[in-house]
Amino acid sequence: MSNKPRILTGDRPTGPLHLGHYIGTLKNRVKLQDEFDCFFIMADLHTLTTDFSKDKTSTLKDRVRGLVLDYLSVGIDPAKAVIYQQSKVPQVTYLESIFTNLITVPRAQRVPTLKEVIRDLNIKQPSLGLLNYPALMAADILMVKANLVPVGKDQESHVEVTREIASTFNKTYGEVFPIPKALIGDGGTLIGTDGQAKMSKSIGNCIYLSDDTETVNKKVKGMYTDPTRLKPTDPGHIEGNPVFIYHDAFNDNKAEVDDLKARYIKGQVGDVEVKEKLSLAINKFLDPIRAKRAEFEGKLDLIDQIIDSGSKKASLESQKTLDEVLSAMGIR
Ligand code: ATP
Ligand code: MG
């Protein structure tokens, strides 16, 4: 392995990735894979903390494959980065079980993300698995001795727990782990097509990377714009208007965007034209992503091979770490 700093980040395979994921993390990952030693985890065990029903677990395998397709479509390259499936690296649960002893129950209960999940999903009592989420995530990160962990703001508190676990371990048994740093993306948060909340699959206000042209056209047509504007001749607002936020993010023709904005403010352009041009721009942005997806779509053997080969690499690294851990503790 190289001596470049190591990165761990990834996703829970809970559904297809959307334009928000692209802006918030995927775009950055494509860059990071050239500069760092990257591990991209498909964290299927983490989904059990909230989705443990048989209906959900029986579709996990397909969702993991879907996630690989999403990754490949945007240019994440298994020749550059290790793409792996968490459950195929059993060392992670071994390390997790050691780590659970280095964190107190009240500390785990104080993690703000836990409170949010309990509130958002209306969970009556958190399971031990859910409470333990930060210990499992610490095992993901420390297993490959990651130095940097690119995460959304919502995951920052988990990285903090990881840092505490790593330093407690090092103090107790000897220096094994680097203390990782969270890398909060500067891509910002993309608003949803409803203009009300961030783009999020559980809200259903998404344009997916896998949407076809017609679907994009339909979603853009139905997009929220400026609610104060009743006719095309009314002066419109640009700020906070999702149609223009998307134009800024995905339309590579800046002159066109400037012209639309100028006319919108003066009440000289209809929503129909603004949206038609947006559909064209998003489809133009998605076309190369679709072409890349088409290269891999339906090739289950190839996708499974990518998953297996990445998981083997992650497993090798993890075994090395686990051996060091057990030896530092004097167990082996
Ligand atoms: P869910 O609705 O199940 O919470 P989601 O669509 O919000 O799903 P997550 O899996 O929660 O997606 O997101 C994982 C990561 O992707 C976040 O930590 C964040 O970095 C990034 N991300 C998700 N949605 C957006 C968004 N709208 N804008 C920017 N980044 C996003
Ligand atoms: Mg979310």
Side-chain angles (χ1 to χ4, degrees), residues 56-71:
K56 287 287 170 72
T57 57
S58 59
T59 58
L60 257 183
K61 203 194 276 178
D62 280 338
R63 281 184 276 141
V64 167
R65 287 172 172 151
L67 197 51
V68 175
L69 259 182
D70 278 333
Y71 287 173

Side-chain angles (χ1 to χ4, degrees), residues 69-179:
L69 259 182
D70 278 333
Y71 287 173
L72 297 170
S73 74
V74 296
I76 290 179
D77 181 352
K80 296 178 179 171
V82 178
I83 300 171
Y84 74 100
Q85 184 174 351
Q86 186 184 31
S87 63
K88 293 206 153 127
V89 183
Q91 291 90 342
V92 75
T93 56
Y94 195 155
L95 207 54
E96 176 200 17
S97 85
I98 294 173
F99 287 168
T100 53
N101 302 294
L102 306 182
I103 168 173
T104 65
V105 173
R107 175 66 185 97
Q109 285 169 327
R110 271 205 313 276
V111 172
T113 321
L114 175 74
K115 291 179 195 148
E116 279 161 35
V117 170
I118 289 175
R119 188 196 57 214
D120 293 350
L121 300 181
N122 204 6
I123 293 169
K124 300 276 173 291
Q125 289 291 342
S127 65
L128 270 180
L130 184 59
L131 194 61
N132 213 28
Y133 195 107
L136 182 55
M137 188 162 153
D140 297 328
I141 296 168
L142 298 176
M143 192 177 80
V144 296
K145 296 193 177 180
N147 308 98
L148 296 168
V149 188
V151 283
K153 198 96 188 91
D154 52 334
Q155 293 285 319
E156 199 180 5
S157 58
H158 286 146
V159 181
E160 195 47 45
V161 177
T162 301
R163 291 163 57 83
E164 290 168 24
I165 290 177
S167 78
T168 303
F169 185 96
N170 288 350
K171 267 189 223 127
T172 313
Y173 304 109
E175 291 288 322
V176 169
F177 296 114
I179 310 296

